[in-house]
Amino acid sequence: MTDQQKQDELDQLSINTLRLLAVDQVQKANSGHPGAPLGCAPIAYLLYHKIMKYNPTDPLWSDRDRFILSNGHASALLYGVLHLTGYKLPMEQLESFRQWGSHTPGHPEYGETPGVEVTTGPLGQGFAMAVGIATAEKHLGAIYNAAGDNHVEDPAHASHTPVDHYTYVLCGDGDLMEGISHETASLAGTLGLGKLIVLYDDNLISLDGATELSYTEDVTERFKGYHWQVIMVDDGNDLVAIEKAILAGKAETTKPTLIRVRTVIGYGSPKAGTNKVHGEALGAEAVKATKKNFGFPEDKSFYVPEEAGKNWLQAVEKGKKAQAEWQEKFEAYKKAYPALAEQYTRTFEAKMSADWAKSIPTFPTEKPVATRNAGQVVMNAIEKVVPELFGGAADLTSSTKTIFKDSPSFHVDPKGRNVFFGVREFGMMAMVNGMAAHGGLIPYGSTFFTFVDYCRSALRMAALMSVHSIFVFTHDSVGLGEDGPTHQPIEQLMSLRVIPQLTDFRPADANETAACWKLALERKSASFMALSRQDLPVLDAAKYKVFEGCAKGAYVLEEGADIILLATGSEVELIMKAAAELKTAGISAKVVSMPSFKIFEEQDEAYKLSIFPHGIPKISVEAGATLGWYKYIGRDGIAIGLDRFGASAPGPIALEKLGISVAHCVEAAKSLVKK
C-alpha cells in the first residue's frame, strides 16, 4: 500500500469516526439531527484537519479562522469535531448531548461551548453573522495591518498582519431560503468580502421532503448576481475536489465564495437521501446498520479508533505552533507600532481606553434637542477615544443621525467606520452581532423603532449570546407625527423589555442620552436605545444628577408626598409640567424618570422602595403599550399610554388627541388624590 493510500484510508477512518460520534450523540439523546453530520463530515474534516488556522488550547486567539455552523441543527457534527481536535469538550459532554447542564446543547451556543463562535439554529442568522464577522476582519485588517503603511517606524516589520484570517460557513438549503441570507449575501458581494467562504450543503432535501417542493431557483446564478464567486463540487465525499474549491475561494480576494457541495443527507445510513434522516434519531437497528456499513463495531458507542484519534489531535500542536508564530511576530509589531498594538490588545480584551468617558459631553439647558440629535453629538464627541465603535444604519443615516462625520464609508475605504447597510434591517442587526462576536469592535446598527419588528430575532440572539451589540432606534413614538401608524411604534418598547439580558434605554433628554450611551458602552452586553425625533427640553445634568440617576435605571427629579408620576423618554417633560400644575392645586407630586427598566431591576430592594414606596398612588405615562407598567404602579395605579395604533397628524396634535397630555395626567392624578 502506498503512502497516499494509507493517508486516504486514515482520512476516511477519521471522517467516519466523526460521522458515528454524531450518530451516537443523537441516538443516546433520542433527539437531534443525524442527517447533515453524516453528509457533511468530509467538509468538517478538511476544514479542521487541513485548512483552518486555530488553536484548540486557546479558543479565543484573536487571529484564528472562524467557523460558523449556520445550520445549527447539525450541532452533533460540530461537537464531534471540537472533541476530536482537542478542545476542552470531553467525551462525557458528547454523551450528555442535549441534556440539562451539558455543554452540548441542541443548537450551538456562544459562550457555552469552547470553539463555538456564535449561537446558531434560527436559520439564516449564522450566515448573516458570518458576513458581520468577515466585515469586522476586513475593517480591522485595514486598521492594524502594516503592509504598505507610509509611517512605518521599523521597515523590517512593515509586512506583519496581525489581522489575517478567514471566515468559513457551513449552511444548508434552509439558510439560503431565509430572507436574511439574501439580504446579507447581497451586501457581502457589494462589500467585496474576499475572506468569506461559504460551503453549501446542497443535499436536495429539506424537512418536509425534496427541496423541489419549495426551492427551485438557480442558486449559482443568484449568488453570481450578488457578485460572489461560485464553485460546484459534485461529490461531497471527494476530498480533493472540496479542498481545491476551498483553495480557489482563498485565492479570490475581491469576492466572497459560495461552494456548492452536492452531498447525500444521512450518507451511509439506511435512511440516506430521505427527509426521514433530517431531524430524528436513526433508531437502534439503523445505527447498527450504519456502523456496519462504515466497518465500525456495531456494539460500541462513542468509539474513536486510536489511529483516527491521533490523526485528529494533530490540530493541537499545529495550532499551538501557529499561534506562537503569530505571537512572535506580534511582539515585533508592538515595537514597530506601539500605539496600534496597545489599541489592538485593549479592544480584543474588551476594555475601554483610559479616561474615555471624559469626552462624553453634557448639554446646556437653553435649547431643546431631539435625543436622536443628541446621540449624534455624543458619538462624534467620543469618536477618537472609542475607535472600536463601528456601524451604521439601514439606509436611514440622515434620520437616525448615527454617523461619524469625519470618517469615510467602509465601502469606499475599509478603514472607514460608517457602514451603509441598505434597507436590510434584519441582516444589519445580525451582522452587528457577528461583529461583536468577532471581537475588537463595539458595533451598532440603527433604524426607525417601528422597524424593530423586521429584526427582533437578531436582538433576541444578541441578548442570548450576551454580545456587546448596540441597537439605536429613533422616531420612538407617535410624536413623530405625520408618517402615521405604520411608522409609529406602540408595542415595540414594552415587547423588547421582556427579552432577557437585553438592556433598554429610553432617555428623556440630551443629557440622559449621553448617560445612556455611556452605560451602553460600559455594560459590555446587548442594549437598545429608543430616541425621539422631536426636540425635548434639556434637564440640568448637575442639578438632577442625571448621570448618577441613569446608572440606577430610575431616579427622582422632583420630590413629592401625595402621588408619584413616572415616565420615560419624551413623556418626562409632560409629567414635570403636570407636577407643576398639580402643585397649584395643592397636590405634591414626586416626579420619576425611568430610562431603563433593566437597570432599575438590578438595584437592591432598598433603592427600589426609595423610588416607589408603598402606600402612595402612582401614575405612569409612556407613549406606548401600558402592559408592564402595573408592576410599578400597582393594580390601583393609572397607566397613561397607548393600547391602540396611532394616527397621521402633526406630532403634538397626535399626542394630544391620543391622550398623552398634561391635562390627562393632571385629571388622572386628581382622581387618585382626594384633597
Side-chain angles (χ1 to χ4, degrees):
M1 184 182 293
T2 66
D3 289 343
Q4 185 58 53
Q5 288 173 323
K6 290 179 181 178
Q7 184 59 53
D8 290 346
E9 282 195 3
L10 182 57
D11 288 341
Q12 200 58 54
L13 181 67
S14 300
I15 291 167
N16 292 340
T17 299
L18 175 60
R19 282 174 163 142
L20 294 174
L21 278 180
V23 166
D24 283 337
Q25 289 176 71
V26 175
Q27 185 62 28
K28 183 173 182 186
N30 196 28
S31 172
H33 302 73
L38 283 166
C40 295
I43 296 171
Y45 174 71
L46 262 180
L47 287 172
Y48 277 87
H49 182 68
K50 198 167 185 180
I51 302 291
M52 284 172 49
K53 176 181 68 174
Y54 65 101
N55 181 2
T57 66
D58 185 2
L60 299 180
W61 171 29
S62 60
D63 198 40
R64 67 192 181 279
D65 288 339
R66 271 73 167 174
F67 173 76
I68 310 302
L69 184 69
S70 190
N71 48 342
H73 55 267
S75 58
L77 174 72
L78 181 55
Y79 299 146
V81 167
L82 296 174
H83 168 74
L84 290 167
T85 51
Y87 283 84
K88 193 175 181 181
L89 194 69
M91 187 66 82
E92 307 88 77
Q93 290 296 327
L94 273 61
E95 294 171 349
S96 300
F97 179 59
R98 287 183 163 227
Q99 303 308 301
W100 180 269
S102 78
H103 297 298
T104 49
H107 293 81
E109 294 183 26
Y110 174 85
E112 184 63 45
T113 312
V116 170
E117 299 289 355
V118 293
T119 298
T120 56
L123 292 176
Q125 287 204 57
F127 184 109
M129 285 188 279
V131 175
I133 290 170
T135 300
E137 193 279 340
K138 185 170 183 176
H139 173 65
L140 294 172
I143 296 294
Y144 294 110
N145 292 346
D149 202 316
N150 293 324
H151 61 268
V152 173
E153 298 170 36
D154 183 351
H157 305 300
S159 62
H160 184 40
T161 53
V163 182
D164 185 12
H165 49 266
Y166 289 82
T167 303
Y168 296 96
V169 182
L170 180 59
C171 75
D173 299 298
D175 289 294
L176 300 189
M177 293 182 203
E178 289 283 1
I180 189 173
S181 67
H182 294 245
E183 292 182 18
T184 51
S186 172
L187 187 55
T190 298
L191 296 177
L193 301 179
K195 288 187 175 179
L196 174 63
I197 299 174
V198 177
L199 294 116
Y200 162 33
D201 175 22
D202 186 8
N203 61 31
L204 304 178
I205 295 292
S206 66
L207 179 58
D208 280 344
T211 52
E212 64 184 13
L213 293 172
S214 60
Y215 186 59
T216 59
E217 72 260 33
D218 190 328
V219 175
T220 293
E221 290 305 312
R222 172 154 68 90
F223 273 80
K224 284 182 177 179
Y226 289 150
H227 309 297
W228 285 55
Q229 174 182 225
V230 182
I231 302 170
M232 184 72 197
V233 175
D234 294 322
D235 182 359
N237 290 306
D238 188 340
L239 296 181
V240 173
I242 298 171
E243 181 180 1
K244 182 179 178 181
I246 294 171
L247 294 177
K250 294 181 72 171
E252 173 54 75
T253 60
T254 63
K255 297 179 180 180
T257 295
L258 178 76
I259 302 173
R260 295 185 66 176
V261 186
R262 180 57 50 81
T263 66
V264 176
I265 190 171
Y267 178 82
S269 78
K271 302 177 183 180
T274 73
N275 63 326
K276 301 301 181 184
V277 76
H278 171 83
E280 59 186 51
L282 292 178
E285 293 306 312
V287 168
K288 288 181 180 180
T290 305
K291 290 179 178 180
K292 182 178 179 180
N293 194 28
F294 288 126
F296 274 56
E298 297 174 37
D299 59 345
K300 288 187 177 181
S301 297
F302 299 96
Y303 173 59
V304 179
E306 184 178 354
E307 316 93 279
K310 289 180 179 178
N311 187 43
W312 275 103
L313 279 175
Q314 291 180 56
V316 173
E317 293 307 315
K318 182 181 175 183
K320 287 180 178 178
K321 181 181 178 183
Q323 185 171 356
E325 290 173 352
W326 179 90
Q327 190 63 48
E328 183 179 354
K329 292 178 180 178
F330 191 71
E331 293 304 315
Y333 180 86
K334 286 198 290 188
K335 294 177 182 177
Y337 302 95
L340 281 175
E342 185 279 330
Q343 180 176 300
Y344 179 97
T345 301
R346 176 184 64 76
T347 54
F348 272 97
E349 291 177 352
K351 296 177 180 177
M352 304 297 291
S353 61
D355 299 325
W356 72 275
K358 291 181 179 179
S359 296
I360 293 178
T362 54
F363 293 80
T365 60
E366 290 80 12
K367 182 180 178 182
V369 180
T371 53
R372 63 168 178 165
N373 292 336
Q376 183 176 45
V377 172
V378 174
M379 283 180 57
N380 283 272
I382 63 174
E383 177 182 5
K384 290 183 171 56
V385 295
V386 190
E388 60 267 43
L389 192 58
F390 176 78
D395 201 46
L396 286 172
T397 301
S398 61
S399 293
T400 62
K401 310 294 184 182
T402 47
I403 191 167
F404 293 108
K405 295 179 179 179
D406 295 331
S407 178
S409 77
F410 171 76
H411 177 70
V412 173
D413 179 355
K415 290 183 179 179
R417 294 166 63 182
N418 297 309
V419 183
F420 292 89
F421 289 98
V423 187
R424 301 181 177 96
E425 293 87 0
F426 192 8
M428 169 181 65
M429 296 314 193
M431 283 178 63
V432 165
N433 292 341
M435 295 173 195
H438 177 278
L441 294 174
I442 301 174
Y444 66 89
S446 66
T447 187
F448 290 169
F449 198 17
T450 193
F451 298 153
V452 72
D453 293 326
Y454 285 136
C455 53
R456 180 182 306 274
S457 186
L459 272 71
R460 184 178 189 273
M461 191 69 82
L464 180 60
M465 294 195 293
S466 291
V467 289
H468 200 178
S469 297
I470 298 176
F471 307 107
V472 181
F473 299 113
T474 66
H475 297 58
D476 71 334
S477 78
V478 294
L480 68 90
E482 292 85 347
D483 280 338
T486 61
H487 284 55
Q488 293 168 344
I490 301 296
E491 73 279 16
Q492 284 77 7
L493 180 57
M494 201 60 75
S495 69
L496 290 188
R497 285 176 177 147
V498 304
I499 297 177
Q501 301 173 191
L502 181 65
T503 301
D504 59 306
F505 293 110
R506 188 172 185 241
D509 79 321
N511 283 320
E512 279 198 6
T513 303
C516 289
W517 261 106
K518 179 177 183 290
L519 291 166
L521 289 165
E522 288 176 338
R523 283 173 67 83
K524 298 180 176 58
S525 59
S527 63
F528 75 91
M529 296 189 196
L531 305 178
S532 75
R533 177 193 186 192
Q534 70 269 35
D535 289 337
L536 301 174
V538 179
L539 297 167
D540 186 318
K543 175 182 176 182
Y544 294 110
K545 298 182 179 179
V546 168
F547 281 76
E548 297 92 329
C550 286
K552 296 283 191 178
Y555 65 110
V556 177
L557 294 174
E558 301 286 349
E559 290 289 358
D562 297 325
I563 193 167
I564 298 173
L565 308 179
L566 58 146
T568 74
S570 47
E571 289 72 68
V572 171
E573 171 193 9
L574 183 156
I575 62 171
M576 291 189 77
K577 289 179 177 177
E581 190 168 323
L582 288 168
K583 188 175 183 179
T584 64
I587 297 174
S588 171
K590 180 178 182 178
V591 178
V592 175
S593 175
M594 195 171 184
S596 177
F597 277 33
K598 176 73 166 62
I599 294 177
F600 179 72
E601 286 300 325
E602 294 170 355
Q603 308 310 309
D604 60 34
E605 279 304 308
Y607 184 77
K608 291 177 185 177
L609 281 173
S610 74
I611 301 297
F612 300 129
H614 299 307
I616 302 177
K618 302 171 182 70
I619 295 175
S620 65
V621 185
E622 186 171 72
T626 60
L627 183 68
W629 276 111
Y630 294 96
K631 178 176 183 178
Y632 301 110
I633 64 175
R635 292 181 63 188
D636 297 328
I638 296 176
I640 296 174
L642 294 172
D643 293 314
R644 54 152 286 179
F645 292 114
S648 179
I653 293 175
L655 287 164
E656 179 73 27
K657 294 292 185 181
L658 292 167
I660 311 299
S661 66
V662 173
H664 188 186
C665 185
V666 168
E667 179 185 358
K670 288 180 178 178
S671 73
L672 291 179
V673 180
K674 306 299 182 182
K675 283 207 170 185

